[in-house]
Structures are given as structure tokens and as C-alpha cells.
Amino acid sequence: MLNLAVMLEHSARTVPDRDAVVSGDRTLSYARLDAAANQVANLLVSRGIRPGDKVALSCPNIAEFPVVYYGILKAGAVVVPLNTLLKSREIAYHLGDCDARAYFCFEGTPQLPSGREGWDGFSQVDGCREFFLITTAGPEGQPTDARPSGPNPPQTLAGALAGQSTDFTTRVTGPADTAVILYTSGTTGQPKGAQLTHTNMVLNALTCHKIFGEVEQDIHLITLPLFHSFGQTVQMNAGLATGATLVLMQRFDARGALALMRRHQVTFFAGVPTMYWSLLEHTATEADVDIEAVARSLRIAVSGGASLPVELHRRFERRFRIVIREGYGMSETSPVAVFTPPGAKARPGSIGTPVWGVRVELVRPDWTFVDPGEVGEIAIRGHNVMSGYFRRPEATAEVVRDGWFRTGDLACRDEDGWLYIVDRAKDMIIRGGFNVYPREIEEVLLSHPAVSMAAVIGVPHPSHGEEVKAYVVPVPGADTTEDGLVAWCRETMAGYKYPRLIEFCEALPTNATGKILKRELRSRTTPNDR
């Protein structure tokens, strides 16, 4: 038997009274968290949920997320975490695509009525029989403007759990059984559900523990959404497996994150590059931030989800006196596949080397390995690779061959085996027959004193095929112009690669995890860009 829920159960036995989750003014010990998850498991079994059934979960970073997540696993069912920003049509698609039998959905807020969206989506799917509304006011609390209304309102989770036993014997599941289905972002076509087994998830969480080292008790600040693989594995599963305390933040903002770091003496922070950028921008303009207090307690800073610009890496190290450790992975790889080796000095610009039990090669389009020094697409094989996309054998066959999963990311390798992301294969720009890698251009732009953040895309061009365009967030009060920055780029970069088009903007569009949405930037293309 192997079940991902053992991560929580082991810590509940060994450190039952230790704080497991801090969510606003609520704190759950390991014993209470495990008992609450047992109630969820009893509820699901009482409603006819069987091992292998799919159960969806839409919930922000609040205590109910781990409670429901581990309750589903204990019942032997499969967790399907959903992005909390989905609309009813999208929710209906996901519920139907994964054949969900039950759905837990947070009530939301008047500004983000996820409860109403979830209820509407659920109502469109015949096969999903149970809907539980996660509320913060309790079963008798006053409904908010975000809750579903009508003659037959949905049952609240608190009401459904009333009377459920806090004892439960976790159902037997096999190592190859699916534990979690994570949906890809769907940048091309409809989102696909990556099936991750109990072996995938358990070994990836334990691998994180091996990477980060053992201490008596880490205190994680979790600002990454738990429905995403990064926060889910690297912080929630790995943290609870090692008896850490998880401080949950529903939505990242630099001021709030820094305040929580100081208040709880946070030792572990993980984020995407835009979060590190926001922390630096805030501390540069706000004098009331006690950087020394934050830096004293911070033991680990981890970046993933997108390539971390070298200049951003160095700026953070200078200000917070800690080296960000960069890693790499995807939902399909549970997610961690590559990381800065334990005890090794980080190399800014590198994502590190393959983690324990995982092999990484760089391949050509025909799946053959590239020669030393060549750029190739990252292919991964190991205990972390998904079993396949749910009910999509053709899509699985496109990216998996003989156990190798090809990622769509281009990289090169140095003589020591450290990997360096060049770019997404789909983001590469071909200008006049020359390959231009947006990340390289972004790195150069960030070295300019007037540039705070930048994103580079290709836009259609009648003769060159594509032209290079940069969206730039300037440093406040910077003395530069768009034309002036183009001229600087012309002097700094080769003629075929420097951006002829630069557009200043106040912010770059990001998704729920903080990753820059280049597809949205492409949609802004105007005839003047061509």
C-alpha cells in the first residue's frame, strides 16, 4: 500500500500538537488537521465515493485546502485541484473531462464569486453528484453575496461534516494508482489532465526534503496557489511530511508577504520570479520594511515556474543576503525534475542538475540526443513522470516515448552537467531565418538601469517573418524613452536580435501563479507592430 496521505498521518503521529497550518487567525495542529481530513473521508464514503473516483477541489490558500485534499486521498479517491479563477463554463469542462463524482468549492467573495461560478458549472454536469460549498462562517453563518442562491442552495461543507467521525482508516491504494490529476494551463487547445500516481507524488515530496536539508522545524510562507503543482508538492506535501508549519496567504502582495515573514519568522519561501521582483520593488520604495528581521530567519528561498533573470537573482541576494535556489519542473513531472544540488553554490542563470532518481537529456525534434554544447529540448525520465494524460492517449504519445517526457523547453548544458534554460520552444522567435531567444533579450534589458521588468515576444512581420518586440516596465522616474532604449539595445546586441519595437507599460499580465502571460501580450499586437 502507498497513499500520499501518509505524509500527513506520519507527522500527526510524531508531532500531534505542533502547528501544521496557520490561516489568518486560525491555527490547526497536526492532530486537528488529520482529524478534520478523516471527517472529509468519512463524508465521501458515506456519499458513495469509491477508491479511484475523481473529486474536484476549488479552494484558495486557506486551511480547508489541505483538509479536503488529504480527506479525498484518505478515501482512496483522486484529487482534482482546479484554478480558483475559472468561470462556470470552464469548471463544467473540467468536471466533465475528469469524470468527477463530487466537487468541493470555496464560496468566494463579492469580487470573485467562485461559489456561484462553481455551482453553475456543477449544475451543467450530470455525472457529478455531490457539491459541497466551503464557507468561512460555518453552517449557520450568513450567506455572502458570492454564495449561490435560490430555492435549493447547495449544502455547506461545515454542515455536511457535522456528526462525521474524526477516526478513519485510510483506504488501500497501490503505488501506480492515480493520486492527483493536475490540469495543464491549456496554452494550446483544451487543458489536459496529467495523471500523477501516489509514487510520483510521494517520491517528489521526499526528494524535496532531500534537496532542502533536514531541520527541526521549517516555517513555510505559502503564497503560491495550492492548486498548482509548485506550491502543492514543494511546500504543502513536502512541508507536512517533515512536520513544518505552513503559513497560508490567499493572494500574494509584497507588503503582506513581508509582514508575515517577520511575524512568523519564516524560514522557507518559494515563489515565481515576478514575486521576487515585487519584493525587491517594495523594499526599494518603502522605508518601514525590516529587511534585517526577514533575512535573519529566512533559510531557503526557492524560485521556479519560469526562468529567473540573473540580474533579479543578484539583486535579491544583495538585499536579503540569501541566494535563491532555482529549480525546474512541470505539472507532468510532479513537478520537480531539476534543482540546485544540495550543498552546491548556486549558479545564477542555471536551474541546476537532475534530482535524485531522475534523468534529463536534451533532444532534437526526432528524439535523438543533441551533441555537447548544443541547444535541445529538455526530456525527462524517472519516478516523477506522469502516467499519462487522462483519456488522451494520442496527446500522451506526442510527448512521452519509452518513458521519456519532452517538455517543450529549450536548454543547454555546461561541462559540469548544470542546465540552463534558453527558452520555451514555442516562444522562440525566428527573425529573417535567425533564431532569437526571448529570455536572452530579457536578461540584457534587465541590465539597463531604467528597466524594472521586461517580456519579449515575436510579432508578425511582412518580410522578416517575425520582429522582436519588448514590453518594458520602467523604473519609476526613469529618464529614458522607448526610442532611447531601442538605440541602447542596438548598441548592446547583435543586429538580428535586438528589439526594434519597445512598449512601456505599468505592469505585465500574469496568471494565478504569477507567471508572465506572453500569449496575452501577443493578443495586444496591433497593425503598427508589423
Side-chain angles (χ1 to χ4, degrees):
M1 170 185 169
L2 183 67
N3 190 301
L4 181 56
V6 301
M7 303 304 227
L8 169 61
E9 293 172 349
H10 174 75
S11 293
R13 287 192 299 269
T14 55
V15 287
D17 298 326
R18 180 178 293 175
D19 291 346
V21 174
V22 178
S23 177
D25 58 0
R26 299 173 60 199
T27 300
L28 294 181
S29 68
Y30 271 93
R32 287 183 60 199
L33 177 59
D34 190 54
N38 285 340
Q39 287 186 294
V40 171
N42 278 310
L43 169 64
L44 290 171
V45 172
S46 73
R47 300 297 177 90
I49 299 300
R50 299 171 297 180
D53 282 348
K54 316 303 185 297
V55 179
L57 170 62
S58 294
C59 187
N61 289 9
I62 59 175
E64 281 75 13
F65 189 101
V67 166
V68 174
Y69 182 94
Y70 286 103
I72 296 169
L73 293 167
K74 284 170 176 280
V78 178
V79 188
V80 187
L82 300 182
N83 190 318
T84 55
L85 300 179
L86 297 179
K87 300 296 186 181
S88 59
R89 177 188 58 80
E90 298 164 314
I91 291 168
Y93 165 78
H94 285 79
L95 296 179
D97 187 74
C98 73
D99 197 22
R101 294 290 183 255
Y103 179 32
F104 293 84
C105 182
F106 179 59
E107 63 179 337
T109 64
Q111 296 75 30
L112 186 64
S114 50
R116 283 208 303 267
E117 296 286 353
W119 179 245
D120 289 346
F122 165 80
S123 301
Q124 299 172 41
V125 182
D126 294 335
C128 198
R129 302 187 301 267
E130 301 287 345
F131 183 96
F132 303 103
L133 187 70
I134 300 171
T135 63
T136 55
E140 305 303 325
Q142 293 297 314
T144 70
D145 291 340
R147 291 192 190 181
S149 58
N152 297 303
Q155 60 193 322
T156 65
L157 175 61
L161 290 180
Q164 295 291 343
S165 173
T166 56
D167 294 321
F168 186 82
T169 301
T170 297
R171 293 289 188 261
V172 174
T173 52
D177 290 343
T178 301
V180 179
I181 292 179
L182 294 179
Y183 273 85
T184 62
S185 57
T187 53
T188 56
Q190 291 279 35
K192 304 180 292 292
Q195 300 177 99
L196 301 172
T197 67
H198 288 276
T199 293
N200 290 151
M201 298 295 284
V202 168
L203 287 184
N204 213 243
L206 295 179
T207 297
C208 291
H209 177 45
K210 182 180 179 71
I211 292 169
F212 302 132
E214 188 167 355
V215 295
E216 175 61 28
Q217 181 184 1
D218 262 322
I219 301 173
H220 290 245
L221 175 61
I222 305 184
T223 63
L224 294 161
L226 289 173
F227 61 73
H228 189 269
S229 59
F230 189 178
Q232 193 178 129
T233 290
V234 175
Q235 292 197 277
M236 185 180 75
N237 288 335
L240 293 179
T242 56
T245 295
L246 311 182
V247 179
L248 304 183
M249 187 176 188
Q250 284 198 47
R251 185 171 182 173
F252 175 82
D253 74 87
R255 180 187 293 275
L258 289 163
L260 288 173
M261 286 182 186
R262 182 179 179 185
R263 183 184 313 154
H264 296 284
Q265 297 183 315
V266 166
T267 65
F268 193 117
F269 177 76
V272 296
T274 52
M275 291 181 180
Y276 286 101
W277 173 76
S278 295
L279 292 172
L280 285 169
E281 290 295 295
H282 183 77
T283 54
T285 57
E286 299 293 331
D288 61 344
V289 179
D290 191 343
I291 296 177
E292 291 297 319
V294 172
R296 275 197 303 272
S297 61
L298 197 59
R299 182 179 81 88
I300 296 284
V302 176
S303 180
S307 297
L308 180 69
V310 174
E311 182 59 28
L312 185 59
H313 193 148
R314 290 173 176 157
R315 286 173 57 202
F316 195 87
E317 180 181 355
R318 288 194 297 267
R319 191 165 300 170
F320 286 87
R321 302 194 313 279
I322 189 170
V323 177
I324 300 172
R325 300 174 66 182
E326 193 168 0
Y328 170 82
M330 304 184 75
S331 296
E332 291 91 339
T333 60
S334 306
V336 184
V338 178
F339 211 85
T340 304
K345 184 179 179 180
R347 302 182 185 185
S350 175
I351 55 175
T353 61
V355 300
W356 174 85
V358 171
R359 185 179 170 191
V360 173
E361 294 291 348
L362 305 179
V363 300
R364 301 185 181 94
D366 63 0
W367 289 85
T368 58
F369 297 162
V370 303
D371 295 326
E374 277 190 61
V375 171
E377 183 178 346
I378 295 176
I380 299 168
R381 185 170 70 180
H383 55 71
N384 58 338
V385 174
M386 67 173 181
S387 60
Y389 294 118
F390 185 63
R391 291 180 177 171
R392 282 181 169 77
E394 297 84 3
T396 302
E398 289 178 5
V399 295
V400 177
R401 180 182 294 184
D402 298 328
W404 288 97
F405 168 74
R406 58 190 311 156
T407 63
D409 286 319
L410 301 176
C412 58
R413 197 193 318 253
D414 68 19
E415 59 185 12
D416 297 323
W418 288 57
L419 291 153
Y420 297 77
I421 294 289
V422 174
D423 230 311
R424 285 290 294 173
K426 293 182 176 66
D427 288 342
M428 185 177 71
I429 302 165
I430 302 178
R431 182 186 185 278
F434 290 95
N435 292 347
V436 179
Y437 299 107
R439 187 190 176 186
E440 179 188 359
I441 313 305
E442 291 159 0
E443 294 278 6
V444 175
L445 283 165
L446 285 170
S447 70
H448 191 286
V451 175
S452 178
M453 184 58 78
V456 172
I457 64 169
V459 297
H461 190 275
S463 60
H464 299 310
E466 287 184 289
E467 187 55 272
V468 183
K469 178 173 183 178
Y471 287 87
V472 170
V473 179
V475 171
D479 183 19
T480 189
T481 64
E482 294 172 355
D483 289 342
L485 194 53
V486 170
W488 178 85
C489 290
R490 184 187 303 117
E491 296 297 319
T492 311
M493 290 176 253
Y496 71 90
K497 66 173 68 168
Y498 77 85
R500 269 74 171 173
L501 304 169
I502 289 181
E503 181 176 327
F504 286 165
C505 54
E506 293 184 0
L508 297 172
T510 60
N511 64 10
T513 64
K515 188 173 182 178
I516 294 171
L517 294 172
K518 291 194 174 181
R519 66 178 180 273
E520 186 170 321
L521 293 176
R522 293 187 188 97
S523 71
R524 298 180 184 179
T525 301
T526 67
N528 292 331
D529 292 328
R530 303 179 183 184

